[in-house]
Amino acid sequence: MEWRLGTFSAQAWEATESIRRRIDQLPLLVELADGSLDPARFVEYIVQDDFYLRGYSRALSLLGARAPHSLATEFWATSAGGAVAAEQIMHRQVLGDPRLAAAVRPGVASPTTRAYVNFLQTAVAYESYPVGVAAVLPCYWVYADVGLSLAERAGELSGHPYSVWVAAYADQSFLQATQRAIELLDEAAEGADGATRHHMLTAFVDATHYEELFWKRSYEREVWAPV
């Protein structure tokens, strides 16, 4: 898909190129694409994503409350409710697959999941609205970009065990929402001063790095150990 980019979104996307190259080579995504991913690792990823989405939904709701106009408020509020709820339904459908029934499901969020959520919620609560937009966008954009590649590769394989999950990220409504979020990023950057745009770029890069860590740590089945 050709994303419609403004000046700032193009700069942000270019700034994360090296991180995104590493993401493309992560074992979880390579094995998810070819269908060889161990069910236990897939379940760890799905359950951690569910923990993550609960916190992400709250971040989007707060961002909507701070948005400068009603159209942005409506978009973030709808994203917090409808889009995230739809993905949680997908989680339940995927985890209902009997092939995954024997896999142990973590009962708590991993340290990396908690750190990513804390980063996002702090950004939308205590930084300016433009910085908050930059922080939440990689979850849309990186997932959409990765999802398109996954769907293309997995679609060539018959009997792919994770085909339902992979196909969800190539859904047109999700891609359209991602494009709208990109537009809101550029809109926020246009009205921001140089210092704010610098903070926006930092938040975008940091969030993209958390995307990388989230997939990496899920594959490793990061251990949560209370002190």
Side-chain angles (χ1 to χ4, degrees), residues 4-17:
R4 299 188 303 275
L5 305 184
T7 301
F8 185 82
S9 59
Q11 179 187 9
W13 196 239
E14 182 179 359
T16 59
E17 182 180 0

mmCIF file with all atom_site columns, all heavy atoms in Angstrom, residues 4-17:
data_model
loop_
_atom_site.group_PDB
_atom_site.id
_atom_site.type_symbol
_atom_site.label_atom_id
_atom_site.label_alt_id
_atom_site.label_comp_id
_atom_site.label_asym_id
_atom_site.label_entity_id
_atom_site.label_seq_id
_atom_site.pdbx_PDB_ins_code
_atom_site.Cartn_x
_atom_site.Cartn_y
_atom_site.Cartn_z
_atom_site.occupancy
_atom_site.B_iso_or_equiv
_atom_site.pdbx_formal_charge
_atom_site.auth_seq_id
_atom_site.auth_comp_id
_atom_site.auth_asym_id
_atom_site.auth_atom_id
_atom_site.pdbx_PDB_model_num
ATOM 1   N N   . ARG A 1 4  ? -0.175 7.902  2.008  1.00 0.00 ? 4  ARG A N   1
ATOM 2   C CA  . ARG A 1 4  ? -0.135 9.329  1.679  1.00 0.00 ? 4  ARG A CA  1
ATOM 3   C C   . ARG A 1 4  ? 0.529  10.054 2.842  1.00 0.00 ? 4  ARG A C   1
ATOM 4   O O   . ARG A 1 4  ? -0.054 10.166 3.921  1.00 0.00 ? 4  ARG A O   1
ATOM 5   C CB  . ARG A 1 4  ? -1.551 9.863  1.414  1.00 0.00 ? 4  ARG A CB  1
ATOM 6   C CG  . ARG A 1 4  ? -2.252 9.187  0.240  1.00 0.00 ? 4  ARG A CG  1
ATOM 7   C CD  . ARG A 1 4  ? -3.564 9.880  -0.104 1.00 0.00 ? 4  ARG A CD  1
ATOM 8   N NE  . ARG A 1 4  ? -4.463 9.928  1.037  1.00 0.00 ? 4  ARG A NE  1
ATOM 9   C CZ  . ARG A 1 4  ? -5.295 8.942  1.396  1.00 0.00 ? 4  ARG A CZ  1
ATOM 10  N NH1 . ARG A 1 4  ? -5.316 7.803  0.708  1.00 0.00 ? 4  ARG A NH1 1
ATOM 11  N NH2 . ARG A 1 4  ? -6.084 9.061  2.446  1.00 0.00 ? 4  ARG A NH2 1
ATOM 12  N N   . LEU A 1 5  ? 1.732  10.548 2.609  1.00 0.00 ? 5  LEU A N   1
ATOM 13  C CA  . LEU A 1 5  ? 2.521  11.120 3.690  1.00 0.00 ? 5  LEU A CA  1
ATOM 14  C C   . LEU A 1 5  ? 2.693  12.612 3.535  1.00 0.00 ? 5  LEU A C   1
ATOM 15  O O   . LEU A 1 5  ? 2.818  13.133 2.428  1.00 0.00 ? 5  LEU A O   1
ATOM 16  C CB  . LEU A 1 5  ? 3.901  10.460 3.744  1.00 0.00 ? 5  LEU A CB  1
ATOM 17  C CG  . LEU A 1 5  ? 3.937  8.933  3.863  1.00 0.00 ? 5  LEU A CG  1
ATOM 18  C CD1 . LEU A 1 5  ? 5.376  8.458  3.994  1.00 0.00 ? 5  LEU A CD1 1
ATOM 19  C CD2 . LEU A 1 5  ? 3.094  8.453  5.030  1.00 0.00 ? 5  LEU A CD2 1
ATOM 20  N N   . GLY A 1 6  ? 2.713  13.278 4.674  1.00 0.00 ? 6  GLY A N   1
ATOM 21  C CA  . GLY A 1 6  ? 3.070  14.678 4.721  1.00 0.00 ? 6  GLY A CA  1
ATOM 22  C C   . GLY A 1 6  ? 4.544  14.801 5.074  1.00 0.00 ? 6  GLY A C   1
ATOM 23  O O   . GLY A 1 6  ? 5.264  13.806 5.206  1.00 0.00 ? 6  GLY A O   1
ATOM 24  N N   . THR A 1 7  ? 4.991  16.024 5.269  1.00 0.00 ? 7  THR A N   1
ATOM 25  C CA  . THR A 1 7  ? 6.411  16.266 5.543  1.00 0.00 ? 7  THR A CA  1
ATOM 26  C C   . THR A 1 7  ? 6.865  15.570 6.814  1.00 0.00 ? 7  THR A C   1
ATOM 27  O O   . THR A 1 7  ? 7.901  14.879 6.836  1.00 0.00 ? 7  THR A O   1
ATOM 28  C CB  . THR A 1 7  ? 6.678  17.771 5.654  1.00 0.00 ? 7  THR A CB  1
ATOM 29  O OG1 . THR A 1 7  ? 6.303  18.413 4.437  1.00 0.00 ? 7  THR A OG1 1
ATOM 30  C CG2 . THR A 1 7  ? 8.157  18.039 5.938  1.00 0.00 ? 7  THR A CG2 1
ATOM 31  N N   . PHE A 1 8  ? 6.086  15.710 7.892  1.00 0.00 ? 8  PHE A N   1
ATOM 32  C CA  . PHE A 1 8  ? 6.536  15.141 9.162  1.00 0.00 ? 8  PHE A CA  1
ATOM 33  C C   . PHE A 1 8  ? 6.422  13.628 9.190  1.00 0.00 ? 8  PHE A C   1
ATOM 34  O O   . PHE A 1 8  ? 7.328  12.936 9.660  1.00 0.00 ? 8  PHE A O   1
ATOM 35  C CB  . PHE A 1 8  ? 5.762  15.735 10.343 1.00 0.00 ? 8  PHE A CB  1
ATOM 36  C CG  . PHE A 1 8  ? 6.293  15.247 11.664 1.00 0.00 ? 8  PHE A CG  1
ATOM 37  C CD1 . PHE A 1 8  ? 7.407  15.837 12.232 1.00 0.00 ? 8  PHE A CD1 1
ATOM 38  C CD2 . PHE A 1 8  ? 5.696  14.175 12.323 1.00 0.00 ? 8  PHE A CD2 1
ATOM 39  C CE1 . PHE A 1 8  ? 7.934  15.360 13.429 1.00 0.00 ? 8  PHE A CE1 1
ATOM 40  C CE2 . PHE A 1 8  ? 6.207  13.698 13.517 1.00 0.00 ? 8  PHE A CE2 1
ATOM 41  C CZ  . PHE A 1 8  ? 7.330  14.291 14.080 1.00 0.00 ? 8  PHE A CZ  1
ATOM 42  N N   . SER A 1 9  ? 5.324  13.081 8.689  1.00 0.00 ? 9  SER A N   1
ATOM 43  C CA  . SER A 1 9  ? 5.168  11.628 8.723  1.00 0.00 ? 9  SER A CA  1
ATOM 44  C C   . SER A 1 9  ? 6.242  10.943 7.880  1.00 0.00 ? 9  SER A C   1
ATOM 45  O O   . SER A 1 9  ? 6.759  9.875  8.252  1.00 0.00 ? 9  SER A O   1
ATOM 46  C CB  . SER A 1 9  ? 3.768  11.211 8.253  1.00 0.00 ? 9  SER A CB  1
ATOM 47  O OG  . SER A 1 9  ? 3.514  11.656 6.933  1.00 0.00 ? 9  SER A OG  1
ATOM 48  N N   . ALA A 1 10 ? 6.622  11.559 6.762  1.00 0.00 ? 10 ALA A N   1
ATOM 49  C CA  . ALA A 1 10 ? 7.698  11.002 5.942  1.00 0.00 ? 10 ALA A CA  1
ATOM 50  C C   . ALA A 1 10 ? 9.018  11.021 6.715  1.00 0.00 ? 10 ALA A C   1
ATOM 51  O O   . ALA A 1 10 ? 9.794  10.059 6.654  1.00 0.00 ? 10 ALA A O   1
ATOM 52  C CB  . ALA A 1 10 ? 7.832  11.794 4.647  1.00 0.00 ? 10 ALA A CB  1
ATOM 53  N N   . GLN A 1 11 ? 9.264  12.103 7.443  1.00 0.00 ? 11 GLN A N   1
ATOM 54  C CA  . GLN A 1 11 ? 10.478 12.198 8.250  1.00 0.00 ? 11 GLN A CA  1
ATOM 55  C C   . GLN A 1 11 ? 10.483 11.136 9.351  1.00 0.00 ? 11 GLN A C   1
ATOM 56  O O   . GLN A 1 11 ? 11.508 10.477 9.593  1.00 0.00 ? 11 GLN A O   1
ATOM 57  C CB  . GLN A 1 11 ? 10.580 13.598 8.878  1.00 0.00 ? 11 GLN A CB  1
ATOM 58  C CG  . GLN A 1 11 ? 11.809 13.780 9.756  1.00 0.00 ? 11 GLN A CG  1
ATOM 59  C CD  . GLN A 1 11 ? 11.801 15.110 10.501 1.00 0.00 ? 11 GLN A CD  1
ATOM 60  O OE1 . GLN A 1 11 ? 10.794 15.837 10.493 1.00 0.00 ? 11 GLN A OE1 1
ATOM 61  N NE2 . GLN A 1 11 ? 12.901 15.443 11.149 1.00 0.00 ? 11 GLN A NE2 1
ATOM 62  N N   . ALA A 1 12 ? 9.355  10.957 10.002 1.00 0.00 ? 12 ALA A N   1
ATOM 63  C CA  . ALA A 1 12 ? 9.266  9.983  11.090 1.00 0.00 ? 12 ALA A CA  1
ATOM 64  C C   . ALA A 1 12 ? 9.456  8.564  10.573 1.00 0.00 ? 12 ALA A C   1
ATOM 65  O O   . ALA A 1 12 ? 10.149 7.749  11.196 1.00 0.00 ? 12 ALA A O   1
ATOM 66  C CB  . ALA A 1 12 ? 7.915  10.122 11.792 1.00 0.00 ? 12 ALA A CB  1
ATOM 67  N N   . TRP A 1 13 ? 8.844  8.266  9.429  1.00 0.00 ? 13 TRP A N   1
ATOM 68  C CA  . TRP A 1 13 ? 8.961  6.924  8.855  1.00 0.00 ? 13 TRP A CA  1
ATOM 69  C C   . TRP A 1 13 ? 10.408 6.636  8.465  1.00 0.00 ? 13 TRP A C   1
ATOM 70  O O   . TRP A 1 13 ? 10.929 5.537  8.710  1.00 0.00 ? 13 TRP A O   1
ATOM 71  C CB  . TRP A 1 13 ? 8.034  6.809  7.648  1.00 0.00 ? 13 TRP A CB  1
ATOM 72  C CG  . TRP A 1 13 ? 7.739  5.420  7.179  1.00 0.00 ? 13 TRP A CG  1
ATOM 73  C CD1 . TRP A 1 13 ? 7.984  4.892  5.935  1.00 0.00 ? 13 TRP A CD1 1
ATOM 74  C CD2 . TRP A 1 13 ? 7.113  4.363  7.926  1.00 0.00 ? 13 TRP A CD2 1
ATOM 75  N NE1 . TRP A 1 13 ? 7.546  3.588  5.858  1.00 0.00 ? 13 TRP A NE1 1
ATOM 76  C CE2 . TRP A 1 13 ? 7.006  3.240  7.067  1.00 0.00 ? 13 TRP A CE2 1
ATOM 77  C CE3 . TRP A 1 13 ? 6.631  4.267  9.234  1.00 0.00 ? 13 TRP A CE3 1
ATOM 78  C CZ2 . TRP A 1 13 ? 6.444  2.028  7.483  1.00 0.00 ? 13 TRP A CZ2 1
ATOM 79  C CZ3 . TRP A 1 13 ? 6.073  3.063  9.654  1.00 0.00 ? 13 TRP A CZ3 1
ATOM 80  C CH2 . TRP A 1 13 ? 5.981  1.967  8.776  1.00 0.00 ? 13 TRP A CH2 1
ATOM 81  N N   . GLU A 1 14 ? 11.075 7.615  7.887  1.00 0.00 ? 14 GLU A N   1
ATOM 82  C CA  . GLU A 1 14 ? 12.477 7.446  7.501  1.00 0.00 ? 14 GLU A CA  1
ATOM 83  C C   . GLU A 1 14 ? 13.361 7.260  8.734  1.00 0.00 ? 14 GLU A C   1
ATOM 84  O O   . GLU A 1 14 ? 14.323 6.473  8.709  1.00 0.00 ? 14 GLU A O   1
ATOM 85  C CB  . GLU A 1 14 ? 12.944 8.660  6.701  1.00 0.00 ? 14 GLU A CB  1
ATOM 86  C CG  . GLU A 1 14 ? 14.384 8.562  6.221  1.00 0.00 ? 14 GLU A CG  1
ATOM 87  C CD  . GLU A 1 14 ? 14.817 9.773  5.408  1.00 0.00 ? 14 GLU A CD  1
ATOM 88  O OE1 . GLU A 1 14 ? 13.993 10.685 5.205  1.00 0.00 ? 14 GLU A OE1 1
ATOM 89  O OE2 . GLU A 1 14 ? 15.987 9.796  4.970  1.00 0.00 ? 14 GLU A OE2 1
ATOM 90  N N   . ALA A 1 15 ? 13.036 7.977  9.819  1.00 0.00 ? 15 ALA A N   1
ATOM 91  C CA  . ALA A 1 15 ? 13.848 7.901  11.042 1.00 0.00 ? 15 ALA A CA  1
ATOM 92  C C   . ALA A 1 15 ? 13.799 6.523  11.684 1.00 0.00 ? 15 ALA A C   1
ATOM 93  O O   . ALA A 1 15 ? 14.698 6.168  12.454 1.00 0.00 ? 15 ALA A O   1
ATOM 94  C CB  . ALA A 1 15 ? 13.379 8.952  12.042 1.00 0.00 ? 15 ALA A CB  1
ATOM 95  N N   . THR A 1 16 ? 12.780 5.746  11.373 1.00 0.00 ? 16 THR A N   1
ATOM 96  C CA  . THR A 1 16 ? 12.639 4.420  11.981 1.00 0.00 ? 16 THR A CA  1
ATOM 97  C C   . THR A 1 16 ? 13.009 3.290  11.012 1.00 0.00 ? 16 THR A C   1
ATOM 98  O O   . THR A 1 16 ? 12.744 2.121  11.298 1.00 0.00 ? 16 THR A O   1
ATOM 99  C CB  . THR A 1 16 ? 11.192 4.200  12.461 1.00 0.00 ? 16 THR A CB  1
ATOM 100 O OG1 . THR A 1 16 ? 10.291 4.332  11.345 1.00 0.00 ? 16 THR A OG1 1
ATOM 101 C CG2 . THR A 1 16 ? 10.821 5.194  13.547 1.00 0.00 ? 16 THR A CG2 1
ATOM 102 N N   . GLU A 1 17 ? 13.641 3.614  9.907  1.00 0.00 ? 17 GLU A N   1
ATOM 103 C CA  . GLU A 1 17 ? 13.920 2.602  8.891  1.00 0.00 ? 17 GLU A CA  1
ATOM 104 C C   . GLU A 1 17 ? 14.753 1.442  9.435  1.00 0.00 ? 17 GLU A C   1
ATOM 105 O O   . GLU A 1 17 ? 14.457 0.270  9.177  1.00 0.00 ? 17 GLU A O   1
ATOM 106 C CB  . GLU A 1 17 ? 14.634 3.232  7.692  1.00 0.00 ? 17 GLU A CB  1
ATOM 107 C CG  . GLU A 1 17 ? 14.913 2.237  6.575  1.00 0.00 ? 17 GLU A CG  1
ATOM 108 C CD  . GLU A 1 17 ? 15.621 2.873  5.385  1.00 0.00 ? 17 GLU A CD  1
ATOM 109 O OE1 . GLU A 1 17 ? 15.888 4.088  5.438  1.00 0.00 ? 17 GLU A OE1 1
ATOM 110 O OE2 . GLU A 1 17 ? 15.899 2.136  4.422  1.00 0.00 ? 17 GLU A OE2 1
#
